[in-house]
Amino acid sequence: MAGFGKLRVAVVGAGAAGLCAARHLLSRPDTFAPPVVYELTKNIGGTWVYEERIGCYDNGLPIHSSMYRDLRTNIPKEVMSFPDFPFAKHLPSFVHHTEVRKYLEQYCDHFRLWDHIQFGTSVASVTPVDVKGGWNGLAWNVTSNDGIDHSKSTTERFDAVMVCNGHFYDPYIPAIPGLEKFKGTLMHSHDYRSAEPLAGKSVVLLGAGLSGLDIAMELSNVDAKVILSHGQRPLTCPLPPGVQQAPPVTSVLDDGTLEFKDGERAKPEVFLFCTGYNFTFPFLDEKVGVNVQEHLVWPLYKFLIPPAYPSLFIVGICRAICPFPHFHIQSQFVLSVLDGSFPLPSREDMENDIELDIAARRARGIATRHILKLDSEQWAYNDELARLGGFQPLPRYWSNLYESNKVFRARDMLNYKTYNYTVLENMEWKVHDLHGQQLQKPLAVKKQI
């Protein structure tokens, strides 16, 4: 590092990923100057901050949170936590979203992050600059606007930028022919807050991801008549009362009727899209060349680094993952790149690595839009980053407990959140149901991991 001074790193966003990035940068004062964390809102926690209003704030900025009132986590707290900061012992395994927000605030207290966050600040642009003697010959200009006085913009220079702006706020609405002809209420789960406004109504809910299933259960509790429309194999676990399955909606007819792939029709009062979100990086300079196509962000080496601009890091874009531990691993890998303990391959080698990786996934039948969906492959990914960066991998039981919860969830969607997990001293774990009965671990997971 001789002659360089300390590396200045900007962090965009103070959700869980941005806080984790800041925590690790602050842990290495030998190499890194204290980070500057830019946060659009007045709070930390990003997607975990519940906002009853939808649409826009009073200042005209869009409301990013997609949190709904009664959400409880779908991952047990025992593996949802950052590995270096467990949730409070007394909490149940599946906690209400307010507990996660509280946890993130405690994480900020514990690692003393508050002073490094600039609240009410929007990042307008992140632009690379050629600098002789800079890290890889590069630096970054970050221009930000004060949330109150938009005319007041500030530009600061950094050696590296970690983009942690989240991806649960720009709703993805699939193109369905004739959608504009639908006569009822059209909404996306981004604007769903509670079931009561839909009590007793007929609803077609498109998408059977975790939010879709969760919201279908909430609607069932208020006697809505729900058709769960999706393209996956039909669910075999018990469904809540008043919920039936259908294939995807393929078109909306002239009179506003929805037509399904099997030719069946329905005319619901509400058409609710639980179809996920778009990635968006409006502040990134175009010449950086980070593209978003069919829900894939590329080219990114290890789903993190654009080869042409290797001091930019797009953190936390992988899906179907255990998020906080994933951020914990990615942040440490970023530090290992910046401090030189993991020397990056050449631009050409990184580009080849990306092409081979994407080709291998396509060869296994993975559609472009699912490439970032790591699912059970997240454990090998996390371990590879830890190996390359030379830091502690996740404890061995982590993957097994997480994958077992997935099996329980698929078996019993209605009750799996009542289970409680215990991690034992020897890194083993056990699980009990609501009545304190110890459950058998799923065999498939035992063998697999």
Side-chain angles (χ1 to χ4, degrees), residues 301-305 318 325-334 336-337 342 374 378-393:
Y301 177 67
K302 306 299 178 202
F303 301 133
L304 265 172
I305 305 169
C318 296
H326 182 80
F327 306 153
H328 177 83
I329 296 287
Q330 283 193 328
S331 293
Q332 291 176 93
F333 179 70
V334 168
S336 76
V337 168
F342 175 62
L374 291 192
Q378 63 182 306
W379 312 111
Y381 170 84
N382 289 341
D383 284 351
E384 186 194 18
L385 293 195
R387 183 178 60 76
L388 295 175
F391 54 86
Q392 273 305 113

Side-chain angles (χ1 to χ4, degrees), residues 81-202:
S81 71
F82 293 113
D84 54 0
F85 194 73
F87 274 88
K89 273 243 181 343
H90 70 271
L91 292 170
S93 284
F94 296 90
V95 299
H96 187 252
H97 64 78
T98 48
E99 293 293 350
V100 181
R101 181 178 175 185
K102 209 184 292 177
Y103 166 83
L104 291 172
E105 288 174 344
Q106 289 163 347
Y107 184 81
C108 280
D109 293 338
H110 184 80
F111 293 111
R112 308 201 167 158
L113 308 181
W114 296 103
D115 291 347
H116 307 285
I117 304 168
Q118 295 188 10
F119 290 103
T121 307
S122 66
V123 171
S125 67
V126 171
T127 313
V129 193
D130 292 324
V131 173
K132 255 195 165 56
W135 195 95
N136 259 32
L138 273 179
W140 296 88
N141 283 345
V142 177
T143 302
S144 61
N145 295 327
D146 187 293
I148 298 151
D149 178 8
H150 287 292
S151 59
K152 210 175 105 194
S153 78
T154 317
T155 300
E156 283 201 60
R157 171 77 49 103
F158 294 94
D159 296 294
V161 178
M162 295 175 74
V163 173
C164 307
N165 67 325
H167 52 88
F168 293 126
Y169 58 85
D170 183 32
Y172 167 65
I173 308 264
I176 296 173
L179 186 58
E180 69 289 346
K181 294 170 187 158
F182 181 68
K183 308 276 196 292
T185 304
L186 189 67
M187 65 184 286
H188 188 279
S189 58
H190 173 61
D191 291 331
Y192 173 86
R193 294 294 181 262
S194 61
E196 289 84 356
L198 304 180
K201 291 191 191 281
S202 55

Side-chain angles (χ1 to χ4, degrees), residues 10 145 243 250 258 283 294 322 328 371 431:
N145 295 327
V243 177
T250 48
L258 306 185
F283 45 80
E294 290 182 66
C322 193
H328 177 83
I371 284 174
V431 57

Side-chain angles (χ1 to χ4, degrees), residues 243-367:
V243 177
Q244 54 174 333
Q245 296 181 77
V249 174
T250 48
S251 66
V252 182
L253 307 179
D254 287 346
D255 67 350
T257 303
L258 306 185
E259 187 163 56
F260 299 95
K261 199 173 182 178
D262 59 0
E264 293 286 323
R265 295 177 178 181
K267 207 168 181 183
E269 294 162 89
V270 180
F271 192 6
L272 173 53
F273 286 83
C274 295
T275 43
Y277 296 87
N278 297 307
F279 290 104
T280 163
F281 309 101
F283 45 80
L284 269 192
D285 190 304
E286 271 185 20
K287 74 173 172 218
V288 173
V290 171
N291 302 296
V292 182
Q293 269 173 334
E294 290 182 66
H295 299 281
L296 174 64
V297 186
W298 67 282
L300 293 177
Y301 177 67
K302 306 299 178 202
F303 301 133
L304 265 172
I305 305 169
Y309 293 94
S311 48
L312 177 72
F313 306 89
I314 315 266
V315 179
I317 56 170
C318 296
R319 293 160 44 226
I321 50 154
C322 193
F324 298 4
H326 182 80
F327 306 153
H328 177 83
I329 296 287
Q330 283 193 328
S331 293
Q332 291 176 93
F333 179 70
V334 168
L335 267 60
S336 76
V337 168
L338 289 173
D339 73 9
S341 54
F342 175 62
L344 280 177
S346 68
R347 174 178 174 174
E348 197 182 345
D349 285 351
M350 287 194 277
E351 285 169 349
N352 288 339
D353 185 281
I354 294 165
E355 273 180 45
L356 288 171
D357 183 56
I358 288 180
R361 289 169 197 275
R362 289 212 176 105
R364 294 206 305 276
I366 297 172

Side-chain angles (χ1 to χ4, degrees), residues 68 189 192 205 211-220 272 274:
Y68 42 98
S189 58
Y192 173 86
L205 192 159
S211 295
L213 296 175
D214 213 25
I215 291 171
M217 286 194 282
E218 290 200 359
L219 294 177
S220 160
L272 173 53
C274 295

